[in-house]
Amino acid sequence: MRHSETEHSTAEDRAPGWDAINHALNRIYPRQAPKHYGTLIGFALGGADPLPGISAYKRITPVPHWHFVTYGFSELYEKQSDDPQLSGYGFELTMRLSDPDDSEEPPTWALNFLQNLARYVFDSGHPFHAGHYLNANGPIAADSDSAIRSVAFAHDPELPPIDSENGRVEFLQVIGLTNEEEFALKRWSTLKVLDVFKDYLPLWVTDLERGSLLADSDVAARLAEGSAREGSSVGMIYTDQLSWEQRKRLLRPPLTQVSIGARQVGELLALLPLRLPFGHAFTVVGPDARIAFEPAVRNGAEAIEGALHLRLDDRAMRSLVARLRAQAGEYEVEGFPSLLMQVQKTEIRAQDGSVEQVIG
C-alpha cells in the first residue's frame, strides 16, 4: 500500500459511501487529517490488496493508540449489490493499536493484517459480525512473539452505524486477544466477555505487549460466574478429524463409534457441560461428518440425513466429560454401553508439510 493524501482516487469521482465514512470520522477527529494508505492497483484489476484504502488516526486518550478504519467492505462508489438496505457487506473494520512510543507512522503489519482479513471475506464471501472471533494461528503481528494471537469483533464504541446512499454500514472493531481469552469467549458469550474486558482495556485498545487478562483473579471470577450462570453461547466447533459409524450387533443395539482428533477433545470437554445442562445442543463438524450432542432423558444414537444425533442424559454426559482424554485410545461411557468414543492423534504440520507437533 502507498501513503496517500487524497480522499479518493480522483477529484471527479463521486463516492457517497466514502464520504459517509469520512463524515462519521470527522465527528470524532474534526481537526485531524489521517494518515491514509491507498492501493496502487485495484483488486478488480489484479491488485493484491482488496481494500482501496485504510486511514489511521493518532490518539492520546484514554491511552495513546492508532485508530485504523478501512474503506472497501462497503460500497464506496456506485451501488452494485442487490440489497438496498446494506452497503456491500454492511460493515467496515476498525482497529485500535497501542502506541506507547508516540510513533510518527502506524506499523505496516497492522495495515497488512486488515488487508488479510479483507482477503478472507472477499475470497470466502463470509462477512464478519459482532460476536465473531478468529484465531490467527500465531501472533497477529508477523515476526513478533506477542501473546495476542486471536481477534474478536464488536461494534466500535465511538462509531455508531451510518446510513449512506448505498445502504447501512456498521463499524466492527478488531480486538486482539490471547488464546486463553479466546477460549473464555467460547465458555460464555463473546460480547459479554468483551464487555468485562472493556473495564481493563479502555476502548478495547489492542496492546501487543500485554499478557492474559485472566491472570487477574477478578476478571477470572467474573467470567467463571457468567459461564456458570448462563452456559456457553457457542453451539458449534469445527475439526479436521471427525468420523462415526454404526455397526449392527446380534440381540443388542447397534454399536455407535465416534472418532475425534485429540486436538479438539479439550474444547469438547469444556463446552459440553456448558451447553447440554442448559438445554442446548452442541455440534461438532468435520470435513465429512457432523455429530450433534443433544440433552435427553434417555441415551440414544440416531442417524438423520447423514448426521449423527447423540442423545445423552445427565449421567452419560458427566461420564463422557470425566473419562475422555486428549490421548489416543478408546473410551466407554457409563450408562451408554452402545457408545464407544475413540480419540486419534493429531499432527500439527508446518507450511512445508513437516510435522511440528503431535497431540495425543
Side-chain angles (χ1 to χ4, degrees):
M1 301 187 73
R2 63 183 175 88
H3 184 271
S4 171
E5 299 297 335
T6 60
E7 291 192 334
H8 24 85
S9 55
T10 70
E12 291 76 27
D13 282 334
R14 185 173 182 276
W18 196 303
D19 292 338
I21 296 171
N22 284 346
H23 181 70
L25 290 162
N26 286 340
R27 291 198 294 265
I28 306 175
Y29 304 105
R31 300 179 184 86
Q32 181 179 165
K35 302 281 188 180
H36 187 76
Y37 300 84
T39 54
L40 288 170
I41 303 175
F43 195 60
L45 300 176
D49 294 328
L51 299 175
I54 299 174
S55 285
Y57 293 83
K58 196 172 180 63
R59 285 285 291 268
I60 302 302
T61 59
V63 294
H65 68 276
W66 287 100
H67 189 190
F68 297 88
V69 183
T70 67
Y71 293 75
F73 289 100
S74 61
E75 292 168 296
L76 304 175
Y77 302 100
E78 62 184 25
K79 180 70 177 177
Q80 294 181 324
S81 64
D82 296 330
D83 188 342
Q85 302 300 319
L86 284 184
S87 175
Y89 286 108
F91 70 90
E92 293 291 349
L93 291 180
T94 75
M95 186 175 184
R96 298 173 187 268
L97 185 62
S98 177
D99 181 35
D101 299 326
D102 192 24
S103 56
E104 293 296 322
E105 296 284 340
T108 56
W109 74 260
L111 303 172
N112 294 332
F113 184 67
L114 290 170
Q115 289 285 3
N116 285 337
L117 292 176
R119 205 165 284 113
Y120 165 80
V121 172
F122 280 62
D123 289 345
S124 69
H126 299 309
F128 297 120
H129 296 284
H132 282 181
Y133 55 87
L134 184 71
N135 194 283
N137 296 317
I140 64 171
D143 302 321
S144 80
D145 60 355
S146 173
I148 305 301
R149 298 173 176 230
S150 178
V151 294
F153 301 85
H155 293 115
D156 189 298
E158 291 186 323
L159 286 169
I162 60 174
D163 291 304
S164 75
E165 286 185 23
N166 294 332
R168 184 177 176 85
V169 180
E170 296 181 337
F171 293 95
L172 295 181
Q173 184 168 322
V174 181
I175 304 164
L177 303 173
T178 68
N179 287 337
E180 185 181 20
E181 291 162 356
E182 180 197 335
F183 195 57
L185 306 182
K186 299 176 184 179
R187 291 178 58 86
W188 186 14
S189 157
T190 299
L191 296 180
K192 290 179 180 179
V193 170
L194 291 178
D195 195 48
V196 172
F197 286 172
K198 195 191 290 185
D199 292 341
Y200 305 84
L201 300 175
L203 291 180
W204 288 317
V205 171
T206 294
D207 181 359
L208 295 182
E209 302 301 319
R210 72 173 181 83
S212 172
L213 294 176
L214 274 72
D216 186 308
S217 60
D218 179 59
V219 174
R222 290 173 68 182
L223 300 187
E225 191 276 332
S227 62
R229 182 182 66 250
E230 300 177 7
S232 170
S233 63
V234 175
M236 183 181 299
I237 59 173
Y238 298 88
T239 176
D240 54 6
Q241 289 178 277
L242 185 70
S243 63
W244 61 271
E245 63 174 337
Q246 290 185 310
R247 298 197 297 268
K248 292 183 178 180
R249 299 184 298 179
L250 187 64
L251 303 179
R252 289 186 295 173
L255 177 67
T256 300
Q257 181 171 308
V258 171
S259 181
I260 189 171
R263 184 181 189 181
Q264 221 64 54
V265 168
E267 278 190 308
L268 180 65
L269 297 183
L271 297 178
L272 272 182
L274 296 173
R275 293 290 297 179
L276 271 61
F278 292 85
H280 303 303
F282 184 71
T283 302
V284 183
V285 179
D288 303 303
R290 185 184 188 96
I291 301 174
F293 294 83
E294 300 171 347
V297 295
R298 181 180 298 175
N299 297 320
E302 183 180 8
I304 302 176
E305 297 182 350
L308 178 66
H309 292 251
L310 280 180
R311 301 185 178 108
L312 306 176
D313 64 15
D314 186 65
R315 177 189 176 196
M317 188 276 294
R318 293 181 183 279
S319 172
L320 176 60
V321 171
R323 294 186 176 191
L324 198 64
R325 295 288 180 269
Q327 184 70 37
E330 294 184 344
Y331 300 84
E332 296 179 346
V333 178
E334 185 178 357
F336 199 162
S338 61
L339 174 63
L340 182 64
M341 300 292 296
Q342 184 180 61
V343 175
Q344 296 180 332
K345 293 182 179 181
T346 299
E347 294 182 344
I348 309 298
R349 295 184 178 272
Q351 291 184 348
D352 62 4
S354 61
V355 177
E356 283 188 326
Q357 181 185 3
V358 177
I359 302 175

